[in-house]
Amino acid sequence: MAETNTRPPLYIRIHAADNVAIIANDGGLKTGATFADGLVLVDNVPQGHKVALNDLAEGDAIVRYNVVIGYAQKALARGSWVHERVMRMPTAPELDGLPIATVKPPAMPPLEGYTFEGYRNADGSVGSRNILAITQTVQCVAGVTEFAVQRIKAELLPRFPNVDDVVALEHGYGCGVAIDAPDAIIPIRTLRNISLNPNFGGEVMVVSLGCEKLQPERLLPPGTIPITDQRGEGVAADAALDVVCLQDDAHVGFMSMIDSVMRQAEVHLARLNARRRETVPASELVVGVQCGGSDAFSGVTANPAVGFATDLLVRAGATVMFSETTEVRDGIDQLTSRASSAEVAEAMIREMAWYDAYLQKGRVDRSANTTPGNKKGGLSNIVEKAMGSIVKSGSAPISGVLSPGEKVRQKGLIYAATPASDFICGTLQLAAGINLHIFTTGRGTPYGLAEVPVIKVATRSDLARRWHDLMDVNAGRIADGDASIEDVGWELFRLMLDVASGRKKTWAEHWKLHNALVLFNPAPVT
């Protein structure tokens, strides 16, 4: 395949009403570059950045995705480079008077016959991996737990070949916080629900210090954990919590603490090792979709392909959740109109209003979201970024809404409210119960999660070539003209089934790349 920069000048226009388009050629184009329709560049324009398709007067609306993404701060001639320094950002949409459940798309035909090999759990969920997770009540124990995990991996894990990994659920919470403040429920339920992620098989083990505010019984109250018997079948959901408390008098010296953790871990490993994959319908997938290190191609290639795959998952009866509140805020009218009911639309509006107040309290607005890398990749502001982000959600009706840290309990397309921070969003989607994660990127990021497989999708072929052993899918082929959105969407869907079955590993799994858990804590720190 010829390299993109050897091709004639090419721009990509999303909608016929748009008065800007993005430059598709690798390396961008120089002044004087002439397109097939006669457009001539009057500026150097980097790849992914916008070019004016007609003359714009000062104050004129700049339109991309058939949405006003800004207003010209000065006159811009046809062929000019349009970027954040020559644009004024629109105000945020009001949350009153929005269209409520007005879009009634025709029912999509069911997608039947697709399966994967997963691990059934006592609570009815299905895991894509078989992992021992060690929960921690407080950051103080992180060093001890990590030391123990390394010993477990070296000395115990080889004896249990059916267990994929051992991970420590390290976090920065647990003490020195206003744990009875109203918003403290968010980090507490987040950590509780992560501990119950489907990939951990219901085997909950906790390491506690002893004096922390977040006591084990508050983190995981009685009745929280579905208990399994020796055959892996569900029984009563109420048993003594398995806790190793480092301040217990029985621990004399550091190594006695490590020995206690290892001794308890061996019990859980033995039960996990007895589990086997079995064929389950694709409806048991719970997939989180997210983007990070985004560029102007995110909304052209990778995210539309993910949106197509999202529709396939919904048709198969699966659960898909999209998130990132600030990255959907400017398209809230598109979302409330797609709500399956007025109640769902109102729940989305409540989440937007809560986050508006949260940002206002910090004396910032949604414009604080866009990063230098986003802008270098052609995204001028959060409005443009939001339009490209929303398309990950596909076209299905939105059937439910989760507040931060809540666990999903229904099928279909779900809006899981989270901050847009990659690390916090991933952490909250883990709490919601994902067993697979899809992450798109245009600038490139080695993001990963230890707890679930992460499939990485590149927006540009240049990134996919340079990061060939980090990106799992190259959606840049769409911009190159070598594949359609549907082609890449089906490729991604089939890859999800293979990865969930353990037949394939993602590059993040191969290199064991993962980010730390970052709990969202809007409550005060004392």
Side-chain angles (χ1 to χ4, degrees), residues 214-239:
L214 184 58
Q215 289 289 302
E217 295 76 15
R218 181 164 187 174
L219 174 62
L220 292 157
T224 300
I225 306 165
I227 306 301
T228 56
D229 62 16
Q230 291 296 328
R231 296 167 296 174
E233 297 176 356
V235 290
D238 192 1

Side-chain angles (χ1 to χ4, degrees), residues 32 38 60 63 126 134 220 226 257 273 310 355 419 438 444 477 481:
D60 279 357
V63 181
V126 175
I134 301 179
L220 292 157
M257 301 176 189
N273 195 60
T310 292
Y355 213 83
I438 311 298
R477 292 175 293 138

Side-chain angles (χ1 to χ4, degrees), residues 288-290 321-323 424-434 437:
V289 299
Q290 186 185 349
M321 60 190 73
F322 70 106
S323 300
I424 298 176
C425 177
T427 299
L428 287 168
Q429 288 191 347
L430 281 172
I434 60 172
H437 196 52

Side-chain angles (χ1 to χ4, degrees), residues 102 344 362 414 493 510-511:
T102 53
V344 170
I414 308 296
F493 176 74
H510 174 80
W511 298 119

Side-chain angles (χ1 to χ4, degrees), residues 128-129 199 287-292 422 426-427 429-430 434-441 445-457 470-473 492 495-496 499-500 504-511 513-515:
S128 65
R129 294 293 183 268
N199 283 1
V287 180
V289 299
Q290 186 185 349
C291 51
D422 295 348
T427 299
Q429 288 191 347
L430 281 172
I434 60 172
N435 53 22
L436 195 63
H437 196 52
I438 311 298
F439 189 97
T440 69
T441 184
T445 167
Y447 171 94
L449 294 170
E451 296 80 10
V452 299
V454 178
I455 296 173
K456 304 287 285 298
V457 185
L470 288 169
M471 298 291 115
D472 300 293
V473 175
L492 183 56
L495 180 59
M496 284 189 245
V499 170
K504 290 185 178 178
K505 282 190 174 184
T506 67
W507 279 114
E509 287 184 289
H510 174 80
W511 298 119
L513 297 176
H514 60 267
N515 293 91

